[in-house]
Structure formats: C-alpha cells, structure tokens
C-alpha cells in the first residue's frame, strides 16, 4: 500500500510539473524580460524601459536616424543619403522601438525561445507606431515578411507572421501570409554591410501566381520583427510593386 501511495504521489508531481510548464507557455507566470513573478508577459517596469523610437526626426522614407545637417535647411521631408542614393521600392518604413535593452530581449525571446505569447503585447507597440506615423490611415492588407520553409519548419512558426496577425486584428484588416514567398534560405546578415545586404536579398522573394489581382492598386503593409538597413523590406517590396500595388508601407517592432 505504501509503495502504491508513493507511486501515485510521484505521478501527481510529474503531472503538476507538466501542467505548470504548459500553463507558463500559455499564461506566463513571470515577466519575459526581468523574470519578476506575475501574470504580465511584460511587466510595467520593463514596458517603461522600452526604447521608443522618435518618429519625427527620422528619414521620411526609411525611418532611419538622420544627421542634424540633413534637417538644418528646414526641409519638410528630409531624406537620408542612403535613400537618396538607393531609393527603396517601398514608400515608407517605420519602427516602434530601438533594438537594444529590453526590446532586444523581447525579440530574441520571440524569435529563438518559442515565446509566441509575447507577439500580442509587442504588437501593441507596432499599433502605436502605426498611429503615430500614419494616423487614421488603414492599409488594405497586411503581409508578414516570410521565412524560408526549412527555417520555419525548424522554428515551428514565423515570428513576423505572429506580429502581423496581431497587428492586423487591431487594424481590422486581413493578413495575407501566403501572397509573398521566400525563394531561398538567405545567409544571416548580421555581419554584412548595406551593399552586401542588398546583394544577399536580391530576388529573394516572389509573389504567388494568384497575388497580382489582390495587390493591384492596394495599400500594403509589410511587417517584420527587426529592421536594420531595410534590405529585406526592399526585397519584399520589389515583387509587390511589380504586381501593381499602389502604396507599400513597412513597419517593424525594432530598428537596429
């Protein structure tokens, strides 16, 4: 009898550990950034430390930081030297936060540690950046930057698609995750300069055969987790522009 009770006790503890692990995945019991116990996936203190990007003193095209000399003449729509030299295929790109500190922790948790639940609170910042940048304008559809099929299979989800889906629901517009395709598994761009990134992403994306009628004349919002030089957004925008899209806007959670 004692052995039976001990066995049942061990089974109960094993069940409890599994149940707790599953509940932590769905309903986190601590802040993903600072690990403070609680039922907020991002606690108030860590939300307060997120490095929100300025949306006014940036390049009117790519949203990148511009030197003071670029605005010294008082131009209404200053454009950075990079965009003047290589005008992107998209119209405007903006980012919600800087890719540092707590923002970097959030991106890495979503991207590499299966913390899919934080896509929703991260999308709150995307939504705020959208309103600050584009006001009450509403896109016709939202398209996430796609992952290559093998990489998506290994990761089990596309982090950009989770962010795009949450943002699309807030905007009340459809998300179209299958209109844009990644043609090849592009090497990581972490240590590449701007020119190398452009070459790396050349012809990396294409649209589905059925996409052209759905894109023609439409305002498309591209969504990704992190933007650095904009080469990925630019490569995505090329086939969408070729399909006749009227306006292509880009929004990322973070800017490196």
């Amino acid at each position: 009898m004692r052995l039976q009770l001990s066995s049942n006790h061990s089974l109960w503890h094993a069940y409890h550990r599994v149940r707790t692990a599953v509940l932590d995945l769905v309903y986190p019991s601590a802040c993903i950034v600072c690990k403070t116990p609680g039922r907020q996936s991002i606690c108030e203190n860590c939300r307060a430390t997120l490095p929100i990007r300025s949306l006014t003193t940036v390049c009117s095209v790519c949203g990148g930081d511009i030197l003071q000399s670029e605005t010294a003449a008082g131009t209404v729509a200053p454009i950075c030297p990079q965009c003047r030299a290589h005008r992107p295929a998209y119209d405007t790109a903006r980012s919600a936060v800087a890719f540092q500190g707590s923002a970097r922790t959030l991106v890495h948790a979503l991207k590499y540690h299966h913390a899919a639940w934080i896509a929703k609170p991260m999308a709150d910042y995307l939504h705020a950046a959208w309103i600050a940048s584009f006001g009450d304008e509403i896109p016709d559809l939202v398209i996430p930057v796609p992952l290559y099929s093998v990489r998506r299979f290994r990761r089990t989800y596309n982090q950009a698609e989770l962010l795009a889906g949450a943002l699309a629901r807030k905007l009340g517009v459809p998300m179209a995750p299958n209109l844009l395709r990644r043609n090849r598994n592009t090497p990581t761009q972490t240590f590449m300069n701007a020119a190398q990134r452009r070459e790396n992403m050349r012809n990396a994306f294409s649209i589905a055969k059925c996409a052209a009628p759905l894109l023609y004349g439409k305002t498309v919002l591209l969504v990704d987790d992190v933007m650095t030089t904009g080469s990925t957004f630019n490569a995505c925008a090329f086939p969408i522009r070729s399909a006749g899209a009227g306006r292509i806007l880009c929004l990322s959670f973070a800017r490196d």
Side-chain angles (χ1 to χ4, degrees):
M1 177 65 70
R2 183 175 298 175
L3 178 62
Q4 181 66 35
L5 288 174
S6 177
S7 177
N8 288 342
H9 187 69
S10 298
L11 287 172
W12 185 88
H13 273 289
Y15 165 77
H16 180 71
R17 286 196 300 271
V18 172
R19 180 176 179 272
T20 301
V22 171
L23 285 175
D24 281 345
L25 285 174
V26 181
Y27 304 105
S29 58
C31 171
I32 196 72
V33 178
C34 68
K35 310 305 179 185
T36 298
R39 285 300 178 187
Q40 287 185 307
S41 53
I42 310 173
C43 72
E44 293 301 324
N45 287 337
C46 289
R47 285 177 182 266
T49 65
L50 278 171
I52 305 298
R53 279 184 59 81
S54 169
L55 297 172
T56 54
T57 58
V58 295
C59 171
S60 61
V61 179
C62 72
D65 295 324
I66 55 177
L67 299 175
Q68 186 64 35
S69 59
E70 297 296 321
T71 57
T75 54
V76 176
I79 300 176
C80 71
Q82 181 74 16
C83 287
R84 284 200 297 266
H86 303 279
R87 189 74 179 214
Y90 58 78
D91 293 284
T92 308
R94 292 292 183 269
S95 303
V97 301
F99 188 50
Q100 60 191 40
S102 53
R104 184 185 294 269
T105 301
L106 290 175
V107 170
H108 285 181
L110 176 63
K111 197 168 187 175
Y112 303 120
H113 302 297
H114 302 284
W117 65 86
I118 62 171
K120 185 176 180 180
M122 288 171 70
D124 291 340
Y125 292 90
L126 284 169
H127 189 220
W130 171 268
I131 294 173
S133 302
F134 305 107
D136 57 1
E137 181 177 357
I138 300 296
D140 293 299
L141 72 163
V142 177
I143 298 179
V145 171
L147 282 177
Y148 187 63
S149 56
V150 174
R151 189 172 295 180
R152 179 181 176 125
F153 177 79
R154 290 173 179 169
R155 191 171 293 170
T156 71
Y157 61 79
N158 176 6
Q159 72 280 354
E161 186 175 328
L162 295 181
L163 293 170
L167 178 59
R169 287 189 290 274
K170 291 178 181 295
L171 294 173
V173 299
M175 178 183 69
N178 299 317
L179 291 186
L180 188 65
R181 296 173 177 172
R182 199 171 198 126
N183 299 325
R184 50 191 171 83
N185 192 12
T186 52
T188 180
Q189 302 192 123
T190 304
F191 302 106
M192 295 182 184
N193 59 34
Q196 290 169 329
R197 286 169 182 257
R198 285 196 300 272
E199 185 60 32
N200 184 48
M201 300 307 300
R202 188 186 301 275
N203 299 321
F205 301 93
S206 61
I207 61 170
K209 291 181 180 179
C210 65
L214 301 174
L215 294 171
Y216 188 80
K218 300 296 178 62
T219 296
V220 175
L221 171 59
L222 283 166
V223 173
D224 205 358
D225 55 345
V226 180
M227 177 183 179
T228 303
T229 64
S231 59
T232 299
F233 274 143
N234 193 44
C236 289
F238 269 114
I240 294 174
R241 182 73 73 192
S242 298
R247 196 160 180 236
I248 303 173
L249 308 174
C250 304
L251 194 61
S252 70
F253 172 74
R255 175 87 186 222
D256 195 2

